[in-house]
C-alpha cells in the first residue's frame, strides 16, 4: 500500500483520474456500513419514544413559521403635515390634533391639553408639554411653573384672562399630552409635532412668539441651547421669536430670574414699538 498522505497534488490528481477511468462513481469508506442495521435502530428509538409519550407520536415535525411581516414605517411628521393642511380655525386644529393617533404619549395621558388664554392675543407663549397638574386639569401651565409664568407676565401687564387682545396672552405647548414622569420629549416627538406647532402659530397669529425652554426652541427654531439663545430675537414663520428660559428652570435656579426679567423688559419694549 502506498501512503496517501505523502502524495503530491499531481499524483493525487492522476490517481483520481485513474479511478474515474476505472468507472468509480462514488466514494465509500474503508469499513462497510450496515445501513439496514441503522434503520432498524432508528425505528426502535422512535417506537420507544412513542411508548413513553403516545400523543407526541402523532405530531408531525413542525415547519418553521414564516417570518413576521416587517412593521410599516410611518413618517409621522408627514402625517402631521397632512392633518393640518388647509385648517382654517383654532377649533379645527384642536380637533385634528386630538384625533392624531401617531403620538404614543396620547395613550398614557389623562387629558388633551390644547391651549389657554385669549385667541388673538399679541403674545403667544409656547411651552414644552403638560405636567401632572396640566394633565389633570386639561389646561397648560397651571402648576407651580404656570403660577410663576403668570406672575412674570403680569409684571409687564400681560395676562391670560385679559379682556382685550392688547394685554392678553395665548398659551400652548409643543406637546398636548403629558410625557410619562414628565420626561423631556424625544426629538422624534418634537419633529412629529412641528407641523401642528406651525399651524398653531399661523392660526393664533400673535405679534410675538415667546418660546420657553429648549423643547419649544427646537420645535420653532430647529435648535437647542436656550441658555445661550435666551434674550436674542429670532424669527420663524414670519414672526419675531423671543427665546426665554422655562419657568421650571427659574424655580430651580432663582439666580437666573434677573436675566428672565431683562427678557421680559425686551418683550415689553418690542410690543410698545410695534
Ligand atoms: N411646563 C410646560 O412646559 N408646560 C406646561 O403646560 C406646564 C409645565
Amino acid at each position: 500500500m502506498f501512503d496517501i498522505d505523502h502524495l503530491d497534488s499531481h499524483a493525487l490528481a492522476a490517481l483520481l483520474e485513474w479511478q474515474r477511468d476505472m468507472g468509480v462513481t462514488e466514494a465509500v469508506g474503508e469499513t462497510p456500513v450496515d445501513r439496514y442495521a441503522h434503520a432498524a435502530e432508528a425505528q426502535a428509538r422512535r417506537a420507544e419514544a412513542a411508548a413513553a409519550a403516545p400523543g407526541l407520536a402523532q405530531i408531525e415535525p413542525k415547519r418553521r413559521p414564516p417570518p413576521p411581516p416587517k412593521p410599516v414605517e410611518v413618517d409621522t411628521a408627514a402625517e402631521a403635515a397632512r392633518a393640518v393642511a388647509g385648517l382654517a380655525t383654532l377649533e379645527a386644529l384642536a380637533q385634528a390634533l386630538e384625533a392624531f393617533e401617531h403620538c404614543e404619549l396620547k395613550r398614557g395621558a389623562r387629558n388633551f391639553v390644547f391651549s389657554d388664554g385669549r385667541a388673538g392675543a399679541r403674545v403667544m407663549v409656547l411651552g414644552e408639554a403638560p405636567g401632572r397638574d396640566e394633565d389633570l386639569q386639561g389646561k397648560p401651565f397651571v402648576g407651580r411653573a404656570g403660577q410663576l409664568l403668570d406672575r412674570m407676565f403680569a409684571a409687564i401687564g400681560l395676562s391670560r384672562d385679559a379682556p382685550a387682545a392688547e394685554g392678553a396672552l395665548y398659551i400652548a405647548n409643543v406637546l398636548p399630552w403629558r410625557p410619562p414622569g414628565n420626561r423631556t420629549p424625544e426629538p422624534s416627538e418634537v419633529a412629529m409635532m412641528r407641523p401642528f406647532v406651525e399651524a398653531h402659530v399661523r392660526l393664533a397669529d400673535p405679534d410675538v412668539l415667546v418660546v420657553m425652554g429648549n423643547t419649544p426652541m427646537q420645535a420653532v427654531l430647529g435648535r437647542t441651547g436656550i441658555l445661550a439663545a435666551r434674550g436674542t430675537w429670532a424669527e420663524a414663520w414670519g414672526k419675531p421669536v423671543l427665546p426665554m428660559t422655562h419657568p421650571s428652570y427659574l424655580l430651580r435656579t432663582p439666580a437666573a430670574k434677573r436675566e428672565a426679567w431683562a427678557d421680559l423688559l425686551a418683550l415689553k419694549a418690542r410690543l410698545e414699538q410695534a
Side-chain angles (χ1 to χ4, degrees), residues 113 126-132 134 139-143 145-146 171-175 212 216 246-248:
V113 179
L126 191 66
E128 179 173 289
R132 183 176 170 276
E134 292 77 18
K139 263 190 189 189
F141 281 106
V142 291
I171 303 176
N173 284 309
V174 172
L175 282 145
M212 300 199 96
H246 193 282
S248 300

Side-chain angles (χ1 to χ4, degrees), residues 69-91:
K70 278 198 181 153
V72 179
E73 289 242 334
V74 176
D75 181 343
T76 52
E79 289 297 316
R82 252 194 293 282
V84 300
L87 296 181
T89 63
L90 287 169
E91 291 70 31

Side-chain angles (χ1 to χ4, degrees), residues 221-247:
L221 300 177
R223 57 192 158 91
T224 54
I226 189 70
L227 293 182
R230 58 137 285 278
T232 305
W233 288 93
E235 202 188 293
W237 308 311
K239 303 278 178 206
V241 177
L242 180 62
M244 286 184 64
T245 45
H246 193 282

Side-chain angles (χ1 to χ4, degrees), residues 6 23 29 42 84 103 108 138 159 171 194 200 208 225 233 255 274:
H6 291 100
V84 300
C103 182
S159 86
I171 303 176
R194 195 165 192 267
H200 210 152
V208 170
W233 288 93

